[in-house]
Amino acid sequence: MTTATSQPAGGRQSATLTAADLLRMLHQMMVIRRFEERTAQSYQQARIGGFCHLYIGQEAVAVGSIAALGDDDPIITAYRDHGHALARGMHPNHAMAELFGKITGCAKGKGGSMHFFDRSHHVYGGHAIVGGQCPLGVGIAFAIRYNKENKICVTYLGDGALNQGTFHESMNLAAIWKLPIIFLCENNLYSMGTSIERGTSMAHDLAAKAAAYGMHFAQCDGMDLIKVYDCIKDLADRVRGGGGPAFADVKTYRYQGHSMSDPQKYRAKEEVAQHQEKDPINTLVNHLIDSGLATQQQIDELDKDAKKQAIDAVKYASEAPDTPPDELYTDVYAEPFGPYKKGEPPRMKEEGPGSGD
Amino acid sequence: MTTATSQPAGGRQSATLTAADLLRMLHQMMVIRRFEERTAQSYQQARIGGFCHLYIGQEAVAVGSIAALGDDDPIITAYRDHGHALARGMHPNHAMAELFGKITGCAKGKGGSMHFFDRSHHVYGGHAIVGGQCPLGVGIAFAIRYNKENKICVTYLGDGALNQGTFHESMNLAAIWKLPIIFLCENNLYSMGTSIERGTSMAHDLAAKAAAYGMHFAQCDGMDLIKVYDCIKDLADRVRGGGGPAFADVKTYRYQGHSMSDPQKYRAKEEVAQHQEKDPINTLVNHLIDSGLATQQQIDELDKDAKKQAIDAVKYASEAPDTPPDELYTDVYAEPFGPYKKGEPPRMKEEGPGSGD
Amino acid sequence: MHSFPYRQALREAMSEEMRRDERVFLMGEEVAEYNGAYKVSQGMLDEFGSRRVVDTPISESGFAGLGVGAAMYGLRPIIEFMSWSFCLVAADQIINNAPKMLYMSGGQFNVPIVFRGNNGAGGQLGSTHSWAVEAMFSSVPGLKMAIPATPRDAKGLLKAAIRDDDPVFFLESERLLGMGARGEKDFSRYLKRNWAPPQDDEDFVIRLGQAEIKKPGNDCTVVALGRAVHFALEAAEQLETEGIDCEVIDPRTVRPLDVDAIINSVRKTNYCVVVDQSWPFASVASEIAALVYEQALDDLDNQVIRVNSDDVPAPYNRALEQQMLPNTRKVIEAVRAVTYNA
Amino acid sequence: MHSFPYRQALREAMSEEMRRDERVFLMGEEVAEYNGAYKVSQGMLDEFGSRRVVDTPISESGFAGLGVGAAMYGLRPIIEFMSWSFCLVAADQIINNAPKMLYMSGGQFNVPIVFRGNNGAGGQLGSTHSWAVEAMFSSVPGLKMAIPATPRDAKGLLKAAIRDDDPVFFLESERLLGMGARGEKDFSRYLKRNWAPPQDDEDFVIRLGQAEIKKPGNDCTVVALGRAVHFALEAAEQLETEGIDCEVIDPRTVRPLDVDAIINSVRKTNYCVVVDQSWPFASVASEIAALVYEQALDDLDNQVIRVNSDDVPAPYNRALEQQMLPNTRKVIEAVRAVTYNA
Ligand SMILES: Cc1ncc(C[n+]2csc(CCOP(=O)(O)OP(=O)(O)O)c2C)c(N)n1
Ligand SMILES: Cc1ncc(C[n+]2csc(CCOP(=O)(O)OP(=O)(O)O)c2C)c(N)n1
Ligand SMILES: [Mg+2]
Ligand SMILES: [Mg+2]
């Protein structure tokens, strides 16, 4: 494949991306999209329980931002975590097995949809208490600085998390100690049934939120993978270079309800359709075709593979052994006593689609 | 006494203050100063226990701000609350009786220095958890709006409270609902042994903290009572008029340690002396003398009275009856059961120096 | 007798009290325009408007503290936690400010407030979303705590809680919200035991601190709280076929706790099982067991058996969660064991 | 034997472990430049520098959560709460994130962290500053809890806590910080009972979960936690003159709890008093009492008597606070009552 660069844009990082890079990222978005579609189906079939929050529509944020990071930069996010885990390298089999509550799941069936973890791919979890992951991310950044490592931590949060006290304390700590962290706000305009304007002051200008801590601010269109990549690559280089923490307002949109049981009366069908016109996958496909970087045939193959991976994941998860009863008392303590038993971390050998070449 | 106005300053509210007003406010500051000096002395004599945080140096903030309020505007503050309670009208006898743990104390000896309350003077308490009073103040403002009353709530907080999550959540709630509240930050440059720069991002420009919520911001010299009065009167009129909440950064300084057991190694003696040169009481005295609004003799009489009130308060408190044992089980429930008994609120008849004429 | 789901009982209690007292208002996440994350406040925005049914940002410390301040000022807030698992970010406001304000103000400022929401595990919500807060908060003096198991109790206790001049922690159960609706699992027992609240009785209030004998019996006292009442009743039905006549006592409130009702029952049956969905260590079941030993030691023919959740974080996996939680089978086994019929 | 205050034991434990393991660091309000609000970390900034002894803003949720994240990444944080009364604003991070991370990550991320600070009332600090958190947190699986009563235990247990790979809640006592210094109230007992930690023994570690018989005896078992151990020992000295030979057991850790040590003692003495500075309802004392009844019912010649704080918020007034808190007199009265010598 010819490594034609997209039109030169003064200093735009994505100019260095090859067609292969872009196709790999497109494929990752497709894998996430198809995985989530199978997840929804399995949930309707009651093969998945509890709360489940789909990432459909926001794929470019996870894929574009993670592509801009170093291979072992740690990330941490909230409960809408399937996309981040897959983009970071978790194999879809282990993700679906976790949703099915199986021992080969990424948390041995004990975490569930909201708690995907993958130490080998530096995924420090999905976390279910809104804003609760923010100080954890600051702690990871503190540890990076403490160990004098050349890494940064990306902490994802929803727009609803902007109003949690723990977010405020995390931003201030990161700012006063100039920690290597990016707070990436996936601003999908809603927290459950509450549009951002209804609950968040300065919703129209989130830069003011970062300015309260003297923190560097950036904003970008989260529906365009290349724009996400450029925005986060710039921030990552700046933060890694010691420029202090940064806050990114990444405008995105979720096509489904908040979770699997949301009648979505709070937004009009037209609004959803309007955002879907700027679908992140179609946007990248059009860019690749228009700039001659890929053929429709290549693109169809990628989607075919993505669908296959999702189907295989369901198959793998259905056939995987259930989590045995004695796992109830493992992993409660790293140094157990009394009825508790030492646990073994999940065995997740295979590499997922997102892993670096 | 001639009611000469201080030099006319375009629209300055204080221009309307009479010499009598200024003398009354000076007297209030003196009462607080002398009261706190007697408090320190009684504490050294172990007649007062627990934590005790003196207001010496910050008198102009409480007196100047409260003078700019309506008589029944509710206020709420943190643990450094002696000055606010006295300025709002609590009689020094009941304040000192509380410090001595007596039944005639403003909380019947069950609250102590950090928990002065006075419903009749609209004092909603001193509160000991840093930032913990902020959402309470928002609730009072919400109730004012709910009842369609023409009042505002002033919530005092220290600079250390700026970094508590509960402050962030309170500011956002006040902003999105345009509640009638002033967040008055008594910025004495320290929280315990931590200077504000060490722990608070944007310490040099707290306007950014208010801007994060789109909230109106004002700043003034807390050592000058007239400036405090003007600043808070403007804000109070604006907030009462429906202009939405406001945040005030009032620069002040505490002469003593954080509490009674603070060796103050974190600041130089010179720094303390430098601030004392701008002592709030002396500043007003000089203004009154220089502009012919009062004679030194009048001023000395006020101070004589202030000293007397402080000494009387210690006498009253020493002679006051101790809180009887059965008060241990009163006031636990408004509707008691089992071992609990209905309590009676404290009897605080006399009016203190701060009460409006 | 008609269908009257637990969810409707909560809604009617709030609506009746709001009609009756202008000072009462409901505040929480998604309570208004979304009609409640679990449809408890369905239709209340339309009736009362946004001044009295108030949606909030996700700021529990902020709006719980707001409720305490508004209550000090004279209003009577109902603050909803979508789940009691989300109250930990507001712990200081609800267990430090609310229950102590009257005391530390020397009797000047009481806090007439109700904190309510879904409590307890079940439904595979995972470790951080499955809290049962009975033990942790019932130890704090200055608050009251109610935990209704039926639509009738839900309505009567919530009306009592809203009218009470002290802070009341009201622990509902997402697993019971549909209870009392035709087609629901326990609908037959609901009908048989007359668990619908009386209709058109605006003053139907159940006094806090009054246990109810949900099923009288002579052979073994089973004390159960909230959702666990249904495990106890189901177990009693099974045990009856084995000739063991259980007496199921539902304290309905944890603070104040109707200890006499429990002791009187144990005096009669001489055996006692306590079922509590919280973790075992220093739980409400531990307290009830200690009280029974202290006040009825001579009447006991065996130790008190406690049935709690297993002492582990809540797992997502369905089978493991069922293994962890109290259930009917565990109650049956406990009663057989304590009455020497194992 | 020399003077070795409790405060110095804590400092040496932290300093020794920080010298031994680069991953260990101390963070909290005023721990560095101010040398600790209670002078526990005196001199540590000079030795380890601001990278490892870190002053924080007043943001407990922020820096406690930071500690959890840093521990997930491989560091071993010591997070100081100036007082455990200030941990409620961080409740979600310390009891929802820290103890459950290993479980909900399927064994991938443990959290080797110590939360420590002053616990318990005393000193007229008022209702919101007088928390004893034993009951509220000991019910949460996934954490461990230690509560040292002497300088020796403080050092041995804190070193064990820092080396432990799980979250440990370390409950110190401001009232005991000076204990072990010449001139302090209990200095004679401190000397007699050899409560100074061994000198120059960098590996002096007391295994978590191991109770200590602080005073052997045959007539009545007195189980006491933290500061209450000293009330129990003082009471034992007085009761000895009345011919009652108490055995004072200090569990030293609440989770894991050395139940066997308690049961073995009760089997020997047939009487049991439990002293716990927390509020009575669903307290650690309730759990210990329930366990003693369950495992030694036949050995008991009387009910277990629990001595807790009175079930009221902490008052400021000195006399009222003394009336509320457990103390030596109350222990003496309990032992006399339980052994039928009242
Ligand atoms: C502290 C807390 N309060 C409430 C909830 C319930 N809840 C779960 S997700 C959610 C909305 C969050 O919206 P946002 O942060 O924008 O994330 P998004 O779902 O849009 O990705 C709410 C209110 C929770 N999990 N934690
Ligand atoms: C949540 C919480 N953390 C810590 C403390 C201990 N503490 C009491 S006062 C104080 C300093 C507060 O400083 P500031 O807010 O500036 O008020 P000032 O004393 O200067 O008036 C601290 C850390 C507390 N009371 N509450
Ligand atoms: Mg959102
Ligand atoms: Mg200050």
Side-chain angles (χ1 to χ4, degrees):
Chain A
M1 286 229 295
T2 59
T3 55
T5 55
S6 52
Q7 78 285 27
R12 280 184 55 190
Q13 309 263 13
S14 54
T16 65
L17 289 175
T18 63
D21 294 330
L22 293 173
L23 284 168
R24 186 174 52 73
M25 289 198 267
L26 174 64
H27 180 242
Q28 278 188 305
M29 289 204 285
M30 290 169 165
V31 168
I32 294 169
R33 176 70 54 96
R34 299 307 182 191
F35 179 91
E36 295 289 63
E37 285 165 355
R38 289 293 167 179
T39 296
Q41 188 188 39
S42 306
Y43 193 93
Q44 314 305 17
Q45 298 160 355
R47 305 172 76 174
I48 296 173
F51 289 155
C52 188
H53 308 80
L54 301 183
Y55 202 61
I56 296 176
Q58 302 185 206
E59 295 86 350
V61 182
V63 173
S65 58
I66 287 171
L69 303 181
D71 279 351
D72 50 12
D73 283 339
I75 66 163
I76 191 164
T77 186
Y79 46 84
R80 199 179 298 281
D81 56 358
H82 304 178
H84 307 82
L86 294 172
R88 191 67 227 177
M90 179 186 290
H91 195 286
N93 288 357
H94 297 296
M96 195 60 84
E98 184 60 33
L99 296 175
F100 278 50
K102 299 300 181 75
I103 186 66
T104 49
C106 63
K108 300 198 288 188
K110 299 201 291 193
S113 165
M114 301 195 289
H115 302 295
F116 276 16
F117 288 84
D118 188 344
R119 190 184 272 276
S120 64
H121 291 110
H122 318 292
V123 177
Y124 281 70
H127 298 275
I129 299 295
V130 171
Q133 75 276 17
C134 292
L136 303 183
V138 173
I140 292 166
F142 178 90
I144 287 171
R145 156 82 61 75
Y146 189 88
N147 296 339
K148 302 184 177 68
E149 295 168 351
N150 182 27
K151 294 188 209 168
I152 69 169
C153 170
V154 177
T155 299
Y156 299 85
L157 61 144
D159 47 287
L162 294 173
N163 300 319
Q164 273 285 325
T166 309
F167 165 72
H168 171 69
E169 297 190 9
S170 302
M171 292 281 280
N172 183 60
L173 290 174
I176 59 170
W177 293 332
K178 290 203 175 356
L179 295 179
I181 183 169
I182 296 174
F183 292 94
L184 196 157
C185 179
E186 300 197 52
N187 185 355
N188 58 16
L189 308 180
Y190 291 93
S191 45
M192 214 178 260
T194 302
S195 64
I196 187 171
E197 304 75 25
R198 270 208 307 138
T200 308
S201 51
M202 298 301 287
H204 58 284
D205 177 17
L206 294 183
K209 299 290 180 184
Y213 315 96
M215 194 182 289
H216 182 73
F217 174 83
Q219 191 170 22
C220 72
D221 174 1
M223 304 303 267
D224 183 328
L225 179 131
I226 291 178
K227 287 183 181 143
V228 173
Y229 177 86
D230 281 334
C231 172
I232 301 306
K233 189 70 171 83
D234 285 351
L235 293 186
D237 292 346
R238 181 192 150 83
V239 172
R240 205 186 302 279
F247 178 89
D249 174 15
V250 181
K251 311 284 189 192
T252 181
Y253 199 77
R254 57 166 164 79
Y255 298 169
Q256 310 295 330
H258 167 66
S259 58
M260 302 307 288
S261 54
D262 171 12
Q264 300 181 53
K265 292 215 188 76
Y266 47 83
R267 60 185 183 177
K269 291 268 179 305
E270 300 68 31
E271 179 190 310
V272 180
Q274 194 201 344
H275 282 273
Q276 285 176 323
E277 275 155 28
K278 291 175 56 209
D279 178 76
I281 292 177
N282 298 345
T283 304
L284 184 55
V285 165
N286 298 341
H287 169 69
L288 287 168
I289 303 266
D290 297 348
S291 46
L293 287 167
T295 64
Q296 185 59 51
Q297 196 239 340
Q298 273 178 298
I299 281 155
D300 295 343
E301 262 161 42
L302 292 179
D303 195 30
K304 204 163 132 263
D305 176 73
K307 283 180 184 164
K308 181 179 179 307
Q309 287 202 39
I311 290 164
D312 290 351
V314 171
K315 185 167 180 301
Y316 175 88
S318 330
E319 292 161 2
D322 206 350
T323 305
D326 59 11
E327 281 285 339
L328 187 65
Y329 276 84
T330 64
D331 307 321
V332 183
Y333 292 99
E335 295 188 44
F337 58 89
Y340 304 107
K341 284 175 250 117
K342 194 92 178 90
E344 288 307 317
R347 292 172 309 288
M348 295 196 282
K349 284 181 309 308
E350 315 89 331
E351 287 304 300
S355 59
D357 313 0
Chain B
M1 283 228 295
T2 60
T3 54
T5 55
S6 53
Q7 75 285 32
R12 278 184 57 192
Q13 310 261 13
S14 56
T16 65
L17 289 175
T18 64
D21 294 330
L22 292 173
L23 283 168
R24 186 172 52 74
M25 289 198 268
L26 173 64
H27 179 244
Q28 280 186 309
M29 288 204 285
M30 289 169 164
V31 168
I32 295 169
R33 176 70 53 96
R34 299 308 181 189
F35 179 92
E36 295 289 63
E37 286 165 355
R38 289 294 168 182
T39 298
Q41 188 187 39
S42 307
Y43 193 93
Q44 313 304 16
Q45 298 161 354
R47 305 171 76 175
I48 297 174
F51 288 156
C52 189
H53 307 80
L54 301 183
Y55 201 60
I56 296 175
Q58 301 185 206
E59 296 86 349
V61 182
V63 174
S65 58
I66 287 170
L69 303 181
D71 279 351
D72 50 13
D73 282 339
I75 66 164
I76 192 165
T77 186
Y79 46 83
R80 201 180 296 280
D81 56 358
H82 304 177
H84 306 83
L86 292 172
R88 190 70 227 178
M90 180 185 290
H91 195 288
N93 289 356
H94 297 296
M96 195 60 84
E98 184 58 34
L99 296 174
F100 278 51
K102 299 300 181 73
I103 186 67
T104 49
C106 63
K108 301 199 287 187
K110 299 201 293 192
S113 165
M114 301 194 291
H115 302 296
F116 276 17
F117 289 85
D118 188 344
R119 189 184 271 277
S120 64
H121 292 109
H122 317 291
V123 178
Y124 282 69
H127 297 274
I129 299 294
V130 172
Q133 76 276 16
C134 292
L136 303 184
V138 173
I140 292 166
F142 177 90
I144 285 170
R145 157 80 61 75
Y146 188 88
N147 297 338
K148 301 184 178 69
E149 295 168 351
N150 182 27
K151 295 189 210 169
I152 69 170
C153 171
V154 178
T155 299
Y156 297 85
L157 62 145
D159 46 288
L162 295 173
N163 300 320
Q164 272 286 324
T166 309
F167 165 72
H168 171 69
E169 296 192 7
S170 302
M171 291 281 279
N172 184 59
L173 289 175
I176 59 170
W177 293 332
K178 290 201 176 349
L179 295 179
I181 183 170
I182 297 175
F183 293 94
L184 197 158
C185 178
E186 300 197 53
N187 185 353
N188 60 14
L189 308 181
Y190 291 93
S191 47
M192 214 177 258
T194 301
S195 64
I196 188 171
E197 304 75 23
R198 270 210 305 140
T200 309
S201 50
M202 297 301 286
H204 59 285
D205 177 15
L206 293 183
K209 299 290 180 184
Y213 314 97
M215 193 181 291
H216 183 73
F217 173 83
Q219 191 171 15
C220 72
D221 174 1
M223 304 302 267
D224 183 328
L225 180 131
I226 290 177
K227 288 182 181 146
V228 173
Y229 177 86
D230 282 335
C231 172
I232 301 306
K233 190 71 172 82
D234 285 351
L235 293 186
D237 293 346
R238 179 195 154 84
V239 171
R240 205 185 303 278
F247 177 89
D249 173 17
V250 182
K251 310 284 188 191
T252 181
Y253 199 77
R254 58 164 163 80
Y255 298 170
Q256 309 296 330
H258 166 66
S259 59
M260 302 308 289
S261 54
D262 171 12
Q264 300 181 53
K265 292 214 185 77
Y266 46 85
R267 61 184 182 176
K269 292 270 181 303
E270 299 68 29
E271 179 189 306
V272 181
Q274 193 202 346
H275 283 272
Q276 285 177 323
E277 275 154 30
K278 291 176 54 208
D279 178 77
I281 292 177
N282 297 345
T283 303
L284 184 55
V285 165
N286 297 342
H287 168 69
L288 288 169
I289 301 265
D290 297 349
S291 48
L293 288 167
T295 63
Q296 185 60 51
Q297 198 238 341
Q298 274 177 298
I299 282 153
D300 295 343
E301 263 160 42
L302 293 180
D303 195 29
K304 205 163 134 257
D305 176 73
K307 282 182 186 165
K308 183 179 179 309
Q309 289 201 38
I311 291 164
D312 291 350
V314 171
K315 187 167 180 304
Y316 175 88
S318 332
E319 292 161 1
D322 206 349
T323 305
D326 60 11
E327 281 285 340
L328 186 65
Y329 276 84
T330 65
D331 308 320
V332 183
Y333 291 100
E335 295 186 44
F337 58 90
Y340 303 107
K341 284 172 252 129
K342 193 96 180 84
E344 288 306 317
R347 293 171 308 288
M348 295 196 281
K349 286 181 308 313
E350 314 91 329
E351 287 303 300
S355 60
D357 316 8
Chain C
M1 259 277 287
H2 49 80
S3 158
F4 194 101
Y6 187 99
R7 162 184 288 114
Q8 184 182 336
L10 297 172
R11 184 185 311 138
E12 278 199 13
M14 292 194 283
S15 300
E16 285 176 11
E17 295 304 309
M18 286 179 71
R19 288 175 204 128
R20 175 177 175 276
D21 187 339
E22 172 66 16
R23 297 171 301 170
V24 181
F25 69 94
L26 171 63
M27 176 178 275
E29 290 153 20
E30 312 292 357
V31 293
E33 295 194 11
Y34 198 81
N35 282 307
Y38 296 94
K39 299 296 160 269
V40 170
S41 52
Q42 178 87 39
M44 288 181 68
L45 176 63
D46 297 341
E47 176 175 356
F48 298 102
S50 59
R51 175 173 158 267
R52 301 185 70 198
V53 180
V54 186
D55 279 335
T56 67
I58 312 169
S59 308
E60 283 79 6
S61 182
F63 65 75
L66 181 156
V68 177
M72 289 171 72
Y73 196 78
L75 298 187
R76 304 183 75 86
I78 304 169
I79 301 293
E80 176 174 304
F81 292 122
M82 198 177 286
S83 151
W84 276 94
S85 293
F86 308 150
C87 81
L88 297 177
V89 290
D92 188 63
Q93 294 296 329
I94 64 174
I95 57 173
N96 220 0
N97 277 344
K100 301 179 185 175
M101 202 62 72
L102 183 62
Y103 198 82
M104 61 182 178
S105 65
Q108 293 184 68
F109 291 95
N110 68 313
V111 181
I113 192 167
V114 174
F115 297 112
R116 50 167 287 274
N118 292 323
N119 177 65
Q124 302 185 258
L125 302 185
S127 296
T128 60
H129 261 44
S130 303
W131 277 87
V133 298
E134 291 88 321
M136 196 162 56
F137 295 149
S138 59
S139 64
V140 181
L143 59 85
K144 294 172 182 172
M145 180 184 285
I147 175 164
T150 68
R152 190 171 188 286
D153 290 349
K155 184 169 184 181
L157 290 169
L158 185 51
K159 285 169 76 72
I162 297 167
R163 296 183 185 190
D164 197 287
D165 285 339
D166 295 306
V168 180
F169 284 47
F170 201 81
L171 277 50
E172 298 147 19
S173 167
E174 186 272 328
R175 308 272 90 195
L176 298 181
L177 289 178
M179 216 273 282
R182 202 169 299 287
E184 272 286 325
K185 186 161 134 336
D186 302 311
F187 191 61
S188 58
R189 189 176 307 116
Y190 157 85
L191 287 177
K192 200 182 86 183
R193 297 204 172 281
N194 184 3
W195 282 345
Q199 274 185 297
D200 319 321
D201 176 355
E202 303 262 326
D203 283 318
F204 169 64
V205 168
I206 297 175
R207 187 174 59 77
L208 303 181
Q210 202 180 16
E212 183 181 53
I213 298 179
K214 284 290 196 292
K215 179 209 165 288
N218 294 305
D219 301 339
C220 179
T221 299
V222 181
V223 186
L225 290 160
R227 185 182 179 211
V229 168
H230 300 285
F231 302 147
L233 289 171
E234 220 171 12
E237 281 157 18
Q238 162 62 30
L239 289 161
E240 208 152 13
T241 68
E242 303 173 17
I244 304 174
D245 179 21
C246 291
E247 176 151 289
V248 177
I249 296 203
D250 174 4
R252 301 197 289 195
T253 62
V254 181
R255 185 185 271 266
L257 179 66
D258 189 346
V259 182
D260 292 344
I262 297 170
I263 298 301
N264 295 339
S265 176
V266 172
R267 290 232 165 79
K268 180 174 68 173
T269 68
N270 308 115
Y271 297 102
C272 184
V273 167
V274 188
V275 194
D276 169 6
Q277 63 182 343
S278 306
W279 289 308
F281 196 90
S283 65
V284 173
S286 318
E287 180 65 31
I288 291 176
L291 290 169
V292 167
Y293 286 118
E294 279 160 17
Q295 300 183 27
L297 192 59
D298 304 335
D299 303 277
L300 281 173
D301 290 345
N302 199 349
Q303 61 164 123
V304 175
I305 293 187
R306 300 184 271 161
V307 179
N308 287 83
S309 285
D310 281 45
D311 199 2
V312 295
Y316 160 72
N317 176 290
R318 223 178 98 71
L320 287 183
E321 186 179 50
Q322 289 308 317
Q323 189 184 332
M324 168 196 178
L325 296 176
N327 55 38
T328 301
R329 178 182 52 75
K330 290 183 185 180
V331 177
I332 291 172
E333 284 164 6
V335 172
R336 285 187 190 133
V338 85
T339 56
Y340 305 100
N341 290 297
Chain D
M1 260 275 289
H2 50 79
S3 158
F4 194 100
Y6 187 99
R7 162 185 289 115
Q8 183 181 337
L10 297 172
R11 184 185 312 138
E12 279 199 13
M14 292 193 284
S15 300
E16 285 175 11
E17 294 305 308
M18 287 178 72
R19 288 175 205 130
R20 176 176 174 276
D21 187 340
E22 173 67 16
R23 297 169 303 172
V24 181
F25 69 94
L26 171 64
M27 177 179 275
E29 291 152 18
E30 312 292 357
V31 295
E33 295 194 10
Y34 197 80
N35 283 306
Y38 296 95
K39 299 296 161 271
V40 170
S41 52
Q42 178 86 40
M44 288 180 68
L45 176 64
D46 298 341
E47 174 174 356
F48 298 101
S50 59
R51 174 173 159 267
R52 299 184 70 197
V53 181
V54 186
D55 280 334
T56 65
I58 312 170
S59 308
E60 283 79 6
S61 181
F63 65 74
L66 180 157
V68 177
M72 289 171 72
Y73 195 79
L75 298 187
R76 305 183 74 88
I78 304 168
I79 301 294
E80 176 174 306
F81 292 123
M82 199 178 285
S83 152
W84 276 94
S85 294
F86 308 149
C87 81
L88 297 178
V89 290
D92 187 63
Q93 294 296 329
I94 64 175
I95 57 173
N96 219 2
N97 277 344
K100 303 179 184 176
M101 202 63 72
L102 183 62
Y103 198 83
M104 60 183 175
S105 64
Q108 293 184 70
F109 291 94
N110 67 313
V111 181
I113 192 168
V114 174
F115 297 112
R116 50 166 286 275
N118 291 323
N119 178 64
Q124 302 184 257
L125 302 185
S127 295
T128 60
H129 260 46
S130 303
W131 278 85
V133 298
E134 291 90 322
M136 197 162 56
F137 295 148
S138 59
S139 64
V140 180
L143 60 84
K144 293 172 184 171
M145 180 183 285
I147 175 164
T150 68
R152 191 172 188 284
D153 291 349
K155 183 168 184 182
L157 290 170
L158 186 50
K159 285 169 75 73
I162 297 167
R163 295 183 186 191
D164 197 285
D165 285 340
D166 295 305
V168 180
F169 283 46
F170 201 79
L171 277 49
E172 297 149 18
S173 167
E174 187 273 329
R175 309 272 90 194
L176 297 181
L177 289 178
M179 217 273 285
R182 203 168 299 285
E184 272 288 324
K185 189 159 121 359
D186 302 311
F187 191 62
S188 58
R189 187 175 310 115
Y190 157 86
L191 286 178
K192 200 181 86 181
R193 299 204 172 282
N194 185 2
W195 282 345
Q199 274 186 300
D200 318 324
D201 176 356
E202 303 261 329
D203 283 319
F204 169 64
V205 168
I206 297 175
R207 188 174 59 77
L208 303 182
Q210 200 180 14
E212 184 181 51
I213 299 179
K214 284 288 194 296
K215 179 211 165 292
N218 294 307
D219 302 341
C220 179
T221 298
V222 181
V223 186
L225 290 161
R227 187 182 177 211
V229 168
H230 301 284
F231 303 148
L233 288 170
E234 220 172 16
E237 283 159 17
Q238 163 61 30
L239 289 161
E240 209 153 13
T241 69
E242 304 172 15
I244 304 174
D245 179 23
C246 292
E247 177 152 288
V248 176
I249 296 205
D250 175 4
R252 300 198 290 193
T253 62
V254 181
R255 184 185 271 270
L257 179 66
D258 189 346
V259 181
D260 292 345
I262 297 171
I263 299 301
N264 294 342
S265 177
V266 172
R267 289 230 164 80
K268 181 173 68 173
T269 68
N270 308 114
Y271 297 102
C272 184
V273 167
V274 188
V275 194
D276 168 7
Q277 63 183 342
S278 305
W279 289 309
F281 196 90
S283 66
V284 172
S286 320
E287 180 65 32
I288 291 176
L291 290 168
V292 167
Y293 286 118
E294 279 161 19
Q295 300 182 28
L297 192 58
D298 303 336
D299 303 277
L300 282 172
D301 290 347
N302 200 349
Q303 61 165 127
V304 176
I305 293 186
R306 300 184 270 161
V307 179
N308 286 83
S309 286
D310 280 45
D311 200 2
V312 295
Y316 161 71
N317 175 288
R318 222 177 100 71
L320 287 183
E321 187 180 48
Q322 289 308 317
Q323 188 183 333
M324 168 196 176
L325 295 176
N327 55 38
T328 302
R329 178 181 52 74
K330 291 182 185 180
V331 177
I332 291 172
E333 283 164 8
V335 172
R336 285 186 191 136
V338 84
T339 56
Y340 304 102
N341 288 297

